[in-house]
Short mmCIF file of all heavy atoms in Angstrom, two decimals:
data_model
loop_
_atom_site.label_atom_id
_atom_site.label_comp_id
_atom_site.label_asym_id
_atom_site.label_seq_id
_atom_site.Cartn_x
_atom_site.Cartn_y
_atom_site.Cartn_z
N MET A 1 37.47 9.49 -18.25
CA MET A 1 38.30 10.14 -19.26
C MET A 1 38.47 9.24 -20.48
O MET A 1 38.31 9.67 -21.60
CB MET A 1 39.68 10.44 -18.69
CG MET A 1 39.60 11.51 -17.62
SD MET A 1 41.17 12.29 -17.35
CE MET A 1 40.78 13.34 -15.96
N GLY A 2 38.77 7.97 -20.24
CA GLY A 2 38.98 7.08 -21.36
C GLY A 2 37.75 6.28 -21.72
O GLY A 2 37.76 5.54 -22.69
N THR A 3 36.71 6.45 -20.95
CA THR A 3 35.52 5.64 -21.21
C THR A 3 34.54 6.39 -22.11
O THR A 3 34.34 7.58 -21.95
CB THR A 3 34.81 5.27 -19.90
OG1 THR A 3 34.58 6.45 -19.15
CG2 THR A 3 35.65 4.31 -19.10
N GLN A 4 33.95 5.66 -23.02
CA GLN A 4 32.93 6.23 -23.88
C GLN A 4 31.62 5.50 -23.66
O GLN A 4 31.38 4.44 -24.21
CB GLN A 4 33.35 6.11 -25.35
CG GLN A 4 34.44 7.10 -25.70
CD GLN A 4 34.67 7.12 -27.20
OE1 GLN A 4 34.47 6.12 -27.86
NE2 GLN A 4 35.08 8.26 -27.71
N THR A 5 30.79 6.09 -22.82
CA THR A 5 29.52 5.44 -22.53
C THR A 5 28.35 6.23 -23.11
O THR A 5 27.21 5.92 -22.86
CB THR A 5 29.32 5.28 -21.02
OG1 THR A 5 29.56 6.54 -20.40
CG2 THR A 5 30.26 4.24 -20.46
N GLY A 6 28.67 7.29 -23.85
CA GLY A 6 27.61 8.11 -24.43
C GLY A 6 26.84 7.37 -25.49
O GLY A 6 27.35 6.47 -26.14
N ILE A 7 25.60 7.78 -25.65
CA ILE A 7 24.77 7.16 -26.68
C ILE A 7 25.16 7.73 -28.04
O ILE A 7 25.20 8.94 -28.21
CB ILE A 7 23.28 7.43 -26.41
CG1 ILE A 7 22.89 6.84 -25.05
CG2 ILE A 7 22.41 6.85 -27.52
CD1 ILE A 7 21.49 7.28 -24.62
N GLN A 8 25.44 6.85 -28.97
CA GLN A 8 25.75 7.29 -30.31
C GLN A 8 24.52 7.17 -31.17
O GLN A 8 24.01 6.08 -31.37
CB GLN A 8 26.88 6.44 -30.91
CG GLN A 8 28.17 6.57 -30.13
CD GLN A 8 29.26 5.70 -30.73
OE1 GLN A 8 28.98 4.81 -31.51
NE2 GLN A 8 30.49 5.96 -30.35
N GLY A 9 24.04 8.27 -31.66
CA GLY A 9 22.85 8.23 -32.50
C GLY A 9 23.06 9.00 -33.78
O GLY A 9 23.74 10.01 -33.78
N PRO A 10 22.49 8.50 -34.85
CA PRO A 10 22.61 9.20 -36.14
C PRO A 10 21.65 10.37 -36.21
O PRO A 10 20.71 10.38 -36.97
CB PRO A 10 22.26 8.10 -37.15
CG PRO A 10 21.32 7.20 -36.42
CD PRO A 10 21.71 7.30 -34.95
N LEU A 11 21.87 11.37 -35.37
CA LEU A 11 20.93 12.47 -35.26
C LEU A 11 20.95 13.37 -36.50
O LEU A 11 20.01 14.10 -36.75
CB LEU A 11 21.23 13.30 -34.02
CG LEU A 11 20.97 12.57 -32.70
CD1 LEU A 11 21.37 13.46 -31.53
CD2 LEU A 11 19.50 12.19 -32.58
N ASP A 12 22.03 13.30 -37.26
CA ASP A 12 22.10 14.12 -38.46
C ASP A 12 21.54 13.39 -39.67
O ASP A 12 21.34 13.97 -40.71
CB ASP A 12 23.56 14.51 -38.76
CG ASP A 12 24.03 15.57 -37.78
OD1 ASP A 12 23.17 16.31 -37.26
OD2 ASP A 12 25.23 15.65 -37.54
N ALA A 13 21.30 12.11 -39.51
CA ALA A 13 20.78 11.33 -40.62
C ALA A 13 19.34 11.73 -40.91
O ALA A 13 18.57 12.00 -40.01
CB ALA A 13 20.85 9.85 -40.31
N VAL A 14 19.02 11.76 -42.17
CA VAL A 14 17.65 12.06 -42.56
C VAL A 14 16.81 10.80 -42.41
O VAL A 14 17.14 9.78 -42.99
CB VAL A 14 17.59 12.55 -44.02
CG1 VAL A 14 16.15 12.82 -44.42
CG2 VAL A 14 18.45 13.79 -44.20
N PRO A 15 15.77 10.87 -41.62
CA PRO A 15 14.91 9.70 -41.42
C PRO A 15 14.14 9.37 -42.69
O PRO A 15 13.94 10.23 -43.54
CB PRO A 15 13.95 10.12 -40.32
CG PRO A 15 14.37 11.47 -39.86
CD PRO A 15 15.31 12.03 -40.87
N GLY A 16 13.68 8.18 -42.79
CA GLY A 16 12.85 7.79 -43.91
C GLY A 16 13.62 7.09 -45.01
O GLY A 16 13.11 6.91 -46.10
N LYS A 17 14.85 6.69 -44.72
CA LYS A 17 15.62 5.96 -45.73
C LYS A 17 15.02 4.58 -45.95
O LYS A 17 14.48 3.98 -45.04
CB LYS A 17 17.08 5.80 -45.29
CG LYS A 17 17.91 7.01 -45.66
CD LYS A 17 19.33 6.82 -45.22
CE LYS A 17 19.47 6.86 -43.71
NZ LYS A 17 20.82 6.71 -43.24
N GLN A 18 15.17 4.10 -47.16
CA GLN A 18 14.67 2.77 -47.47
C GLN A 18 15.59 1.73 -46.85
O GLN A 18 16.77 1.97 -46.63
CB GLN A 18 14.60 2.56 -48.97
CG GLN A 18 13.67 3.54 -49.66
CD GLN A 18 12.22 3.32 -49.28
OE1 GLN A 18 11.79 2.19 -49.11
NE2 GLN A 18 11.46 4.38 -49.13
N GLY A 19 15.05 0.54 -46.64
CA GLY A 19 15.87 -0.55 -46.16
C GLY A 19 15.96 -0.61 -44.65
O GLY A 19 16.62 -1.47 -44.11
N GLU A 20 15.27 0.30 -43.96
CA GLU A 20 15.29 0.24 -42.52
C GLU A 20 14.00 -0.40 -42.03
O GLU A 20 12.99 -0.42 -42.72
CB GLU A 20 15.41 1.65 -41.93
CG GLU A 20 16.79 2.23 -42.14
CD GLU A 20 16.92 3.55 -41.39
OE1 GLU A 20 16.20 3.75 -40.40
OE2 GLU A 20 17.74 4.36 -41.80
N GLN A 21 14.09 -0.89 -40.81
CA GLN A 21 12.91 -1.48 -40.21
C GLN A 21 11.84 -0.41 -40.03
O GLN A 21 12.11 0.68 -39.55
CB GLN A 21 13.28 -2.03 -38.84
CG GLN A 21 13.14 -3.54 -38.74
CD GLN A 21 13.44 -3.99 -37.33
OE1 GLN A 21 14.37 -3.50 -36.70
NE2 GLN A 21 12.67 -4.89 -36.83
N ILE A 22 10.64 -0.73 -40.41
CA ILE A 22 9.53 0.22 -40.25
C ILE A 22 8.43 -0.44 -39.42
O ILE A 22 7.98 -1.53 -39.73
CB ILE A 22 8.95 0.61 -41.63
CG1 ILE A 22 10.01 1.31 -42.47
CG2 ILE A 22 7.74 1.51 -41.45
CD1 ILE A 22 10.43 2.67 -41.99
N CYS A 23 8.06 0.22 -38.34
CA CYS A 23 6.95 -0.28 -37.54
C CYS A 23 5.81 0.74 -37.61
O CYS A 23 5.93 1.78 -38.24
CB CYS A 23 7.40 -0.53 -36.10
SG CYS A 23 7.72 0.97 -35.16
N THR A 24 4.72 0.45 -36.95
CA THR A 24 3.57 1.34 -37.01
C THR A 24 3.89 2.71 -36.41
O THR A 24 3.37 3.72 -36.85
CB THR A 24 2.37 0.73 -36.28
OG1 THR A 24 2.77 0.35 -34.97
CG2 THR A 24 1.85 -0.49 -37.01
N GLU A 25 4.78 2.71 -35.42
CA GLU A 25 5.18 3.98 -34.81
C GLU A 25 5.97 4.81 -35.81
O GLU A 25 5.78 6.03 -35.91
CB GLU A 25 6.00 3.70 -33.55
CG GLU A 25 6.43 4.95 -32.80
CD GLU A 25 5.27 5.65 -32.10
OE1 GLU A 25 4.12 5.15 -32.17
OE2 GLU A 25 5.51 6.71 -31.50
N CYS A 26 6.86 4.16 -36.56
CA CYS A 26 7.60 4.84 -37.62
C CYS A 26 6.62 5.48 -38.61
O CYS A 26 6.77 6.64 -38.99
CB CYS A 26 8.49 3.86 -38.39
SG CYS A 26 9.84 3.17 -37.43
N GLU A 27 5.65 4.69 -39.04
CA GLU A 27 4.70 5.18 -40.02
C GLU A 27 3.90 6.35 -39.48
O GLU A 27 3.65 7.32 -40.19
CB GLU A 27 3.74 4.05 -40.42
CG GLU A 27 4.42 3.01 -41.29
CD GLU A 27 3.48 1.86 -41.61
OE1 GLU A 27 2.32 1.88 -41.14
OE2 GLU A 27 3.90 0.95 -42.32
N ARG A 28 3.55 6.27 -38.22
CA ARG A 28 2.78 7.34 -37.60
C ARG A 28 3.59 8.63 -37.56
O ARG A 28 3.10 9.71 -37.90
CB ARG A 28 2.37 6.92 -36.17
CG ARG A 28 1.24 7.73 -35.59
CD ARG A 28 0.88 7.19 -34.20
NE ARG A 28 1.98 7.36 -33.26
CZ ARG A 28 2.26 8.51 -32.65
NH1 ARG A 28 1.51 9.57 -32.87
NH2 ARG A 28 3.27 8.61 -31.83
N LEU A 29 4.85 8.51 -37.16
CA LEU A 29 5.71 9.68 -37.07
C LEU A 29 5.99 10.27 -38.45
O LEU A 29 6.01 11.49 -38.62
CB LEU A 29 7.04 9.30 -36.39
CG LEU A 29 6.92 8.96 -34.90
CD1 LEU A 29 8.23 8.35 -34.39
CD2 LEU A 29 6.58 10.19 -34.09
N GLU A 30 6.20 9.40 -39.43
CA GLU A 30 6.49 9.90 -40.77
C GLU A 30 5.26 10.55 -41.39
O GLU A 30 5.38 11.52 -42.14
CB GLU A 30 7.01 8.75 -41.64
CG GLU A 30 8.45 8.42 -41.30
CD GLU A 30 9.00 7.28 -42.15
OE1 GLU A 30 8.38 6.94 -43.16
OE2 GLU A 30 10.06 6.76 -41.78
N ALA A 31 4.09 10.00 -41.11
CA ALA A 31 2.87 10.61 -41.60
C ALA A 31 2.69 12.00 -41.00
O ALA A 31 2.31 12.95 -41.69
CB ALA A 31 1.67 9.73 -41.26
N ALA A 32 3.00 12.13 -39.72
CA ALA A 32 2.90 13.43 -39.05
C ALA A 32 3.90 14.41 -39.65
O ALA A 32 3.59 15.59 -39.85
CB ALA A 32 3.15 13.26 -37.56
N ARG A 33 5.10 13.91 -39.97
CA ARG A 33 6.11 14.79 -40.55
C ARG A 33 5.70 15.24 -41.95
O ARG A 33 5.86 16.40 -42.32
CB ARG A 33 7.46 14.08 -40.63
CG ARG A 33 8.56 15.01 -41.10
CD ARG A 33 9.84 14.29 -41.34
NE ARG A 33 9.66 13.23 -42.34
CZ ARG A 33 10.65 12.49 -42.82
NH1 ARG A 33 11.87 12.65 -42.36
NH2 ARG A 33 10.42 11.57 -43.70
N ARG A 34 5.14 14.31 -42.71
CA ARG A 34 4.73 14.64 -44.07
C ARG A 34 3.61 15.70 -44.05
O ARG A 34 3.57 16.60 -44.87
CB ARG A 34 4.24 13.38 -44.78
CG ARG A 34 4.88 13.21 -46.15
CD ARG A 34 4.61 11.84 -46.72
NE ARG A 34 5.33 10.80 -46.01
CZ ARG A 34 4.87 9.57 -45.80
NH1 ARG A 34 3.67 9.24 -46.21
NH2 ARG A 34 5.59 8.69 -45.17
N ARG A 35 2.70 15.55 -43.07
CA ARG A 35 1.61 16.51 -42.97
C ARG A 35 2.17 17.89 -42.57
O ARG A 35 1.74 18.92 -43.09
CB ARG A 35 0.59 16.04 -41.94
CG ARG A 35 -0.70 16.81 -42.03
CD ARG A 35 -1.68 16.37 -40.95
NE ARG A 35 -1.80 14.91 -40.93
CZ ARG A 35 -2.26 14.23 -39.89
NH1 ARG A 35 -2.61 14.85 -38.79
NH2 ARG A 35 -2.34 12.92 -39.92
N ALA A 36 3.13 17.89 -41.66
CA ALA A 36 3.75 19.15 -41.24
C ALA A 36 4.47 19.81 -42.42
O ALA A 36 4.40 21.03 -42.60
CB ALA A 36 4.71 18.90 -40.09
N GLU A 37 5.12 19.00 -43.25
CA GLU A 37 5.79 19.52 -44.44
C GLU A 37 4.77 20.14 -45.39
O GLU A 37 5.00 21.21 -45.95
CB GLU A 37 6.53 18.40 -45.16
CG GLU A 37 7.93 18.17 -44.61
CD GLU A 37 8.62 17.00 -45.30
OE1 GLU A 37 7.93 16.17 -45.95
OE2 GLU A 37 9.84 16.90 -45.18
N ALA A 38 3.64 19.46 -45.56
CA ALA A 38 2.60 19.95 -46.46
C ALA A 38 2.05 21.28 -45.96
O ALA A 38 1.67 22.14 -46.75
CB ALA A 38 1.48 18.91 -46.57
N GLU A 39 2.03 21.44 -44.65
CA GLU A 39 1.54 22.69 -44.06
C GLU A 39 2.65 23.72 -43.89
O GLU A 39 2.43 24.79 -43.34
CB GLU A 39 0.89 22.39 -42.70
CG GLU A 39 -0.38 21.55 -42.83
CD GLU A 39 -0.91 21.10 -41.47
OE1 GLU A 39 -0.34 21.51 -40.45
OE2 GLU A 39 -1.89 20.33 -41.45
N ARG A 40 3.86 23.36 -44.34
CA ARG A 40 5.02 24.24 -44.22
C ARG A 40 5.28 24.65 -42.77
O ARG A 40 5.73 25.75 -42.49
CB ARG A 40 4.86 25.48 -45.10
CG ARG A 40 4.65 25.08 -46.54
CD ARG A 40 4.83 26.24 -47.46
NE ARG A 40 4.73 25.81 -48.85
CZ ARG A 40 5.18 26.53 -49.86
NH1 ARG A 40 5.76 27.68 -49.63
NH2 ARG A 40 5.06 26.10 -51.08
N ASP A 41 4.97 23.73 -41.89
CA ASP A 41 5.21 23.96 -40.46
C ASP A 41 6.56 23.34 -40.12
O ASP A 41 6.66 22.22 -39.63
CB ASP A 41 4.08 23.32 -39.65
CG ASP A 41 4.16 23.69 -38.17
OD1 ASP A 41 5.23 24.19 -37.73
OD2 ASP A 41 3.16 23.48 -37.47
N TYR A 42 7.62 24.09 -40.42
CA TYR A 42 8.95 23.50 -40.37
C TYR A 42 9.44 23.23 -38.96
O TYR A 42 10.29 22.37 -38.75
CB TYR A 42 9.94 24.36 -41.15
CG TYR A 42 9.64 24.33 -42.62
CD1 TYR A 42 9.29 25.49 -43.30
CD2 TYR A 42 9.66 23.13 -43.31
CE1 TYR A 42 8.98 25.46 -44.64
CE2 TYR A 42 9.35 23.09 -44.66
CZ TYR A 42 9.01 24.26 -45.32
OH TYR A 42 8.70 24.21 -46.65
N SER A 43 8.93 23.97 -37.99
CA SER A 43 9.33 23.66 -36.61
C SER A 43 8.75 22.31 -36.20
O SER A 43 9.38 21.54 -35.47
CB SER A 43 8.88 24.76 -35.65
OG SER A 43 7.48 24.88 -35.63
N ARG A 44 7.56 22.01 -36.70
CA ARG A 44 6.97 20.70 -36.41
C ARG A 44 7.69 19.60 -37.18
O ARG A 44 7.83 18.47 -36.70
CB ARG A 44 5.47 20.70 -36.73
CG ARG A 44 4.79 19.45 -36.29
CD ARG A 44 3.38 19.63 -35.76
NE ARG A 44 2.57 20.59 -36.50
CZ ARG A 44 1.49 20.26 -37.22
NH1 ARG A 44 1.10 19.01 -37.29
NH2 ARG A 44 0.78 21.17 -37.82
N VAL A 45 8.12 19.92 -38.40
CA VAL A 45 8.92 18.96 -39.17
C VAL A 45 10.17 18.58 -38.39
O VAL A 45 10.54 17.41 -38.28
CB VAL A 45 9.30 19.53 -40.56
CG1 VAL A 45 10.30 18.61 -41.27
CG2 VAL A 45 8.07 19.72 -41.42
N THR A 46 10.83 19.60 -37.85
CA THR A 46 12.04 19.36 -37.05
C THR A 46 11.72 18.50 -35.84
O THR A 46 12.46 17.58 -35.50
CB THR A 46 12.66 20.69 -36.60
OG1 THR A 46 12.93 21.49 -37.75
CG2 THR A 46 13.95 20.46 -35.84
N ASP A 47 10.61 18.81 -35.17
CA ASP A 47 10.19 18.00 -34.03
C ASP A 47 10.03 16.54 -34.43
O ASP A 47 10.48 15.62 -33.75
CB ASP A 47 8.84 18.50 -33.48
CG ASP A 47 9.01 19.72 -32.61
OD1 ASP A 47 10.17 20.07 -32.30
OD2 ASP A 47 7.99 20.30 -32.22
N CYS A 48 9.35 16.33 -35.56
CA CYS A 48 9.11 14.97 -36.03
C CYS A 48 10.42 14.27 -36.38
O CYS A 48 10.60 13.09 -36.07
CB CYS A 48 8.18 14.98 -37.24
SG CYS A 48 6.49 15.45 -36.83
N ASN A 49 11.35 15.02 -36.99
CA ASN A 49 12.65 14.43 -37.32
C ASN A 49 13.37 13.96 -36.07
O ASN A 49 13.97 12.88 -36.05
CB ASN A 49 13.52 15.45 -38.06
CG ASN A 49 13.15 15.56 -39.52
OD1 ASN A 49 12.58 14.64 -40.09
ND2 ASN A 49 13.47 16.68 -40.12
N VAL A 50 13.31 14.77 -35.03
CA VAL A 50 13.94 14.38 -33.76
C VAL A 50 13.27 13.15 -33.18
O VAL A 50 13.94 12.20 -32.74
CB VAL A 50 13.89 15.56 -32.76
CG1 VAL A 50 14.37 15.11 -31.38
CG2 VAL A 50 14.74 16.72 -33.24
N LEU A 51 11.95 13.14 -33.19
CA LEU A 51 11.21 12.00 -32.65
C LEU A 51 11.51 10.73 -33.44
O LEU A 51 11.69 9.66 -32.86
CB LEU A 51 9.70 12.29 -32.69
CG LEU A 51 9.20 13.33 -31.68
CD1 LEU A 51 7.74 13.66 -31.95
CD2 LEU A 51 9.37 12.83 -30.25
N ILE A 52 11.56 10.86 -34.77
CA ILE A 52 11.85 9.70 -35.61
C ILE A 52 13.26 9.20 -35.36
O ILE A 52 13.48 8.00 -35.18
CB ILE A 52 11.66 10.06 -37.11
CG1 ILE A 52 10.17 10.29 -37.40
CG2 ILE A 52 12.21 8.94 -37.99
CD1 ILE A 52 9.92 10.90 -38.77
N ALA A 53 14.22 10.12 -35.30
CA ALA A 53 15.62 9.72 -35.07
C ALA A 53 15.75 9.01 -33.72
O ALA A 53 16.41 7.98 -33.60
CB ALA A 53 16.53 10.93 -35.14
N ARG A 54 15.09 9.58 -32.71
CA ARG A 54 15.17 8.99 -31.37
C ARG A 54 14.49 7.62 -31.36
O ARG A 54 14.96 6.69 -30.73
CB ARG A 54 14.49 9.93 -30.38
CG ARG A 54 14.94 9.70 -28.96
CD ARG A 54 14.19 10.59 -28.01
NE ARG A 54 14.50 12.01 -28.25
CZ ARG A 54 13.79 13.01 -27.74
NH1 ARG A 54 12.73 12.77 -27.01
NH2 ARG A 54 14.13 14.25 -27.97
N HIS A 55 13.38 7.53 -32.06
CA HIS A 55 12.66 6.26 -32.12
C HIS A 55 13.47 5.20 -32.86
O HIS A 55 13.47 4.04 -32.48
CB HIS A 55 11.31 6.49 -32.79
CG HIS A 55 10.59 5.23 -33.14
ND1 HIS A 55 9.98 4.43 -32.20
CD2 HIS A 55 10.41 4.60 -34.33
CE1 HIS A 55 9.46 3.38 -32.81
NE2 HIS A 55 9.71 3.45 -34.09
N ARG A 56 14.18 5.62 -33.91
CA ARG A 56 14.97 4.67 -34.71
C ARG A 56 16.10 4.06 -33.89
O ARG A 56 16.55 2.94 -34.16
CB ARG A 56 15.56 5.37 -35.93
CG ARG A 56 14.54 5.64 -37.00
CD ARG A 56 14.20 4.38 -37.76
NE ARG A 56 12.97 4.51 -38.52
CZ ARG A 56 12.88 5.14 -39.68
NH1 ARG A 56 13.92 5.68 -40.23
NH2 ARG A 56 11.73 5.24 -40.28
N ILE A 57 16.57 4.79 -32.89
CA ILE A 57 17.63 4.26 -32.04
C ILE A 57 17.14 3.00 -31.33
O ILE A 57 17.90 2.05 -31.14
CB ILE A 57 18.09 5.33 -31.03
CG1 ILE A 57 18.77 6.48 -31.76
CG2 ILE A 57 19.06 4.73 -29.99
CD1 ILE A 57 19.10 7.67 -30.88
N VAL A 58 15.86 3.00 -30.98
CA VAL A 58 15.27 1.82 -30.35
C VAL A 58 15.39 0.61 -31.26
O VAL A 58 15.74 -0.48 -30.83
CB VAL A 58 13.79 2.07 -30.00
CG1 VAL A 58 13.15 0.81 -29.43
CG2 VAL A 58 13.66 3.23 -29.04
N HIS A 59 15.14 0.82 -32.56
CA HIS A 59 15.27 -0.26 -33.52
C HIS A 59 16.70 -0.79 -33.55
O HIS A 59 16.93 -1.99 -33.50
CB HIS A 59 14.91 0.23 -34.94
CG HIS A 59 13.45 0.36 -35.16
ND1 HIS A 59 12.64 -0.69 -35.41
CD2 HIS A 59 12.65 1.45 -35.17
CE1 HIS A 59 11.39 -0.26 -35.57
NE2 HIS A 59 11.37 1.04 -35.42
N SER A 60 17.66 0.14 -33.67
CA SER A 60 19.05 -0.27 -33.87
C SER A 60 19.64 -0.92 -32.63
O SER A 60 20.55 -1.73 -32.72
CB SER A 60 19.89 0.93 -34.31
OG SER A 60 19.81 1.96 -33.36
N THR A 61 19.14 -0.55 -31.44
CA THR A 61 19.69 -1.13 -30.22
C THR A 61 19.04 -2.46 -29.89
O THR A 61 19.54 -3.21 -29.07
CB THR A 61 19.53 -0.18 -29.03
OG1 THR A 61 18.17 0.23 -28.93
CG2 THR A 61 20.44 1.02 -29.18
N ARG A 62 17.87 -2.74 -30.54
CA ARG A 62 17.19 -4.00 -30.23
C ARG A 62 17.75 -5.15 -31.05
O ARG A 62 17.84 -6.26 -30.57
CB ARG A 62 15.70 -3.84 -30.50
CG ARG A 62 14.99 -3.66 -29.18
CD ARG A 62 13.51 -3.68 -29.36
NE ARG A 62 12.88 -3.03 -28.20
CZ ARG A 62 11.59 -2.80 -28.11
NH1 ARG A 62 10.80 -3.10 -29.10
NH2 ARG A 62 11.09 -2.24 -27.04
N ALA A 63 18.11 -4.86 -32.26
CA ALA A 63 18.69 -5.87 -33.17
C ALA A 63 17.94 -7.19 -33.07
O ALA A 63 18.43 -8.15 -32.51
CB ALA A 63 20.15 -6.08 -32.85
ZN1 ZN B 1 9.65 2.09 -35.57
#
């Protein structure tokens, strides 16, 4: 009841902000998202956003 052990993630944050750590996986995911945007495949864009957000949590928890 009083414990908060849930994972806090910036799931509403738009990925791709400057100043964040970028690895090859980030670049791969962002390239995929950009291609999906170019193809107007918005469900795939959403998928990529989720994958990027989830992947970014790894960065923030590793510090
Ligand atoms: Zn990364």
Side-chain angles (χ1 to χ4, degrees):
M1 292 200 185
T3 52
Q4 286 190 330
T5 51
I7 300 170
Q8 298 179 344
L11 292 177
D12 287 334
V14 178
K17 275 180 291 182
Q18 299 293 323
E20 288 187 25
Q21 245 184 318
I22 299 291
C23 71
T24 53
E25 182 71 2
C26 293
E27 287 177 359
R28 198 177 64 80
L29 291 170
E30 284 180 14
R33 186 187 58 175
R34 229 169 290 145
R35 194 183 310 160
E37 274 177 343
E39 293 172 5
R40 303 194 175 198
D41 188 345
Y42 292 118
S43 63
R44 187 144 40 114
V45 172
T46 304
D47 281 352
C48 290
N49 280 337
V50 172
L51 289 172
I52 291 169
R54 201 183 295 166
H55 169 73
R56 285 284 164 78
I57 293 172
V58 177
H59 283 282
S60 58
T61 53
R62 258 187 200 175

